[in-house]
Amino acid sequence: MDKLVINGGNPLKGEVTISGAKNAAVALIPATVLIDGICTITNVPNISDVKISCKILEEIGAKVEWISKNELKIDTRNITNTTAPLDMTSKFRASSYFIGSLLGRCKKAVVGLPGGCNLGARPIDQHIKGFESLGAKVEVSQGRISAEATKLEGTHIYLDIVSVGATINVMLASVLADGSTIIENCAKEPHIVDVANFLNTMGADIRGAGTDVIKVKGVKKLTGNSTYSVVPDQIEAGTFMLAAVATKGDLIIKNCIPEHMDCLTAKILEMGAKVEYNDDTIHVSASQRPHKANIKTQPYPGFPTDLQPQIGVCLSIANGTSIIKEGIWESRFQYTAELNKMGAKITDQGKSAIFEGVEKLYGAPVEATDLRAAAALIIAGLVADGETTLTNLAHLDRGYENIEEKFRKIGANIQRISEE
Ligand code: EPU
């Protein structure tokens, strides 16, 4: 079992380059099932959720080749198997996208119920509502979802909840359907726009991604033969922006889309740090303890739930008391118990938490409770006095590429130690 040993106290300074977005990449890979051809995807984050998505693709008949560390060549001409390996699909959330894409292409899909971070109940009723509305029969039993249709027909779907996963999955299932599909009350995250742009590059006809209403005009075939670059990771960029704030650092964050960060930037300014945008870079600098701020997480363009633990670390050392209200997940404050072991004063009240800012955090042994909690606890280790050891790194490796190396290059004292 690996652990990270972090010695805090160094302000982070220098330049860091952001990778392609995990939550886009894990949707683009299943989306290739809809292509009857070959495509190349660049700026792919080399992380474990991506590697397992590629393995699933291979198991169902695709040829997948890493042509460099961050480039994939995928040949999906011979998709033969409509059952995605159940043990692999149950390891992460985005495996559910194989239902939409296999159903779209083969009119049949069997996929294990998706796993992923434990953030409370993670139902997929809206995905199922969309598949059924397109004409599929869907059954959930014995830990698997089976969907089948003789024909998928364009339809009008209103999603009852703004859901990233349901928006993407219904879009995938409707790309090759007969006629047009209108999806209302869609999520608008940058990775949704990225999936639509990818599919359009490969021959689909999708309009409106990034707004509440997406229109998909069914096409006969996606031919591929194109190259597509994954959008920069909004959450990784935000993680480094907040690491600069917490450590009173000075960071140039490269290869990001500043406009995707507007909501976070507004909060960072409220906390008293400086932010400047310049083309595809963001400069964040802080010289004082953060001011208190209140946060409510919401679907995009609201404050992202996936940056909630990282901003929680900044608020744990802020000047004053702050409140965070979690608007997406039932259980996203598990990291606060770990932060309290480091001297923070946080009261978890279920869907909200009160952060009484303390002057200092102290190094301690802590455990990553989920992916973003892992990133937050690294930031906490970097501001704390003394040594922090962070365990349960499988969460971290699912979603951040080379994170400790990236932190080391900007001055962090952080080492990975492998232990049997
Ligand atoms: N929901 C339903 N029914 C559904 C689908 C969702 O009730 O059919 C509820 C969920 O329980 C939740 C809310 O709707 O309360 C939003 O869930 P959403 O479907 O948007 O989340 P997701 O697609 O499962 C993705 C990201 C998460 C991120 C959320 C919210 C991927 C692979 N995962 O999850 O990312 O927190 O959107 O932005 O894209 C992470 O990267 O650390 C992570 C957890």
Side-chain angles (χ1 to χ4, degrees):
M1 239 183 34
D2 289 3
K3 67 179 179 188
L4 287 180
V5 178
I6 306 159
N7 276 284
N10 298 351
L12 299 178
K13 290 208 162 103
E15 293 184 353
V16 60
T17 301
I18 299 307
S19 299
K22 165 205 166 237
N23 287 344
V26 296
L28 298 191
I29 293 164
T32 62
V33 169
L34 293 162
I35 301 168
D36 189 2
I38 300 172
C39 69
T40 304
I41 310 179
T42 60
N43 202 32
V44 182
N46 200 313
I47 52 177
S48 70
D49 271 10
V50 162
K51 289 180 196 157
I52 193 163
S53 303
C54 292
K55 278 200 188 128
I56 296 173
L57 255 191
E58 285 176 326
E59 291 285 331
I60 59 175
K63 276 195 197 146
V64 182
E65 190 190 342
W66 284 93
I67 48 180
S68 75
K69 184 169 160 266
N70 298 108
E71 283 179 302
L72 280 172
K73 187 172 172 191
I74 301 177
D75 177 351
T76 36
R77 284 174 298 181
N78 294 311
I79 298 285
T80 44
N81 188 352
T82 54
T83 301
L86 303 188
D87 55 327
M88 290 186 194
T89 49
S90 61
K91 285 206 168 78
F92 67 122
R93 185 70 185 169
S95 60
S96 69
Y97 296 141
F98 282 98
I99 314 170
S101 61
L102 278 169
L103 183 64
R105 173 165 176 161
C106 311
K107 310 286 174 285
K108 194 171 176 202
V110 182
V111 174
L113 276 173
C117 288
N118 177 14
L119 310 170
R122 297 187 77 169
I124 53 161
D125 56 300
Q126 297 304 305
H127 305 227
I128 294 174
K129 174 179 166 174
F131 300 147
E132 287 179 339
S133 178
L134 283 159
K137 266 195 160 174
V138 184
E139 216 181 272
V140 181
S141 69
Q142 296 176 325
R144 66 181 70 185
I145 310 159
S146 314
E148 198 165 356
T150 40
K151 188 173 169 193
L152 292 172
E153 270 186 295
T155 181
H156 197 129
I157 300 159
Y158 180 87
L159 297 173
D160 302 323
I161 288 169
V162 178
S163 157
V164 169
T167 303
I168 291 178
N169 232 341
V170 177
M171 204 158 70
L172 294 175
S174 55
V175 162
L176 300 175
D178 289 348
S180 293
T181 299
I182 296 174
I183 315 166
E184 283 198 74
N185 200 25
C186 293
K188 298 181 280 220
E189 271 68 4
H191 35 288
I192 287 173
V193 179
D194 211 43
V195 177
N197 287 344
F198 169 77
L199 290 166
N200 285 342
T201 304
M202 302 299 152
D205 186 347
I206 303 172
R207 289 166 204 208
T211 74
D212 294 324
V213 183
I214 296 180
K215 293 181 185 157
V216 185
K217 214 167 166 189
V219 294
K220 289 268 171 281
K221 193 173 165 172
L222 300 191
T223 44
N225 284 328
S226 293
T227 298
Y228 188 83
S229 175
V230 180
V231 69
D233 197 313
Q234 177 207 17
I235 303 302
E236 191 197 2
T239 300
F240 281 101
M241 288 171 77
L242 289 164
V245 174
T247 63
K248 298 185 195 144
D250 190 332
L251 286 184
I252 307 273
I253 298 157
K254 294 165 80 176
N255 186 35
C256 53
I257 299 182
E259 292 67 34
H260 290 167
M261 310 311 304
D262 283 350
C263 186
L264 173 63
T265 296
K267 282 294 159 190
I268 290 182
L269 295 175
E270 199 179 316
M271 290 193 292
K274 286 193 188 147
V275 183
E276 281 166 38
Y277 291 175
N278 198 351
D279 295 330
D280 65 348
T281 64
I282 301 180
H283 181 187
V284 183
S285 58
S287 54
Q288 53 183 339
R289 203 174 155 191
H291 303 324
K292 64 180 179 164
N294 294 329
I295 310 284
K296 178 161 182 3
T297 66
Q298 284 171 321
Y300 189 82
F303 192 94
T305 175
D306 293 343
L307 287 173
Q308 192 256 92
Q310 300 88 317
I311 204 163
V313 173
C314 297
L315 298 180
S316 76
I317 50 166
N319 206 340
T321 298
S322 313
I323 296 177
I324 299 185
K325 290 190 180 159
E326 172 57 42
I328 308 291
W329 299 115
E330 269 167 25
S331 177
R332 199 153 210 180
F333 286 113
Q334 295 169 59
Y335 71 95
T336 59
E338 301 302 299
L339 264 188
N340 284 346
K341 289 180 193 164
M342 300 175 72
K345 278 196 187 158
I346 309 166
T347 315
D348 171 2
Q349 301 186 324
K351 287 202 78 174
S352 63
I354 300 168
F355 291 69
E356 277 177 71
V358 295
E359 275 195 45
K360 268 195 181 309
L361 295 177
Y362 298 92
V366 287
E367 196 180 325
T369 48
D370 63 65
L371 166 61
R372 307 304 171 186
L377 290 167
I378 293 179
I379 300 174
L382 293 173
V383 292
D385 271 4
E387 185 173 287
T388 296
T389 49
L390 175 63
T391 50
N392 214 3
L393 300 184
H395 288 301
L396 184 70
D397 296 336
R398 284 186 39 223
Y400 286 93
E401 182 176 31
N402 277 342
I403 190 160
E404 62 262 27
E405 205 180 306
K406 288 188 184 184
F407 271 119
R408 254 198 312 275
K409 278 195 181 148
I410 49 177
N413 183 341
I414 178 170
Q415 304 297 332
R416 184 179 287 244
I417 295 180
S418 295
E419 283 177 351
E420 279 310 307

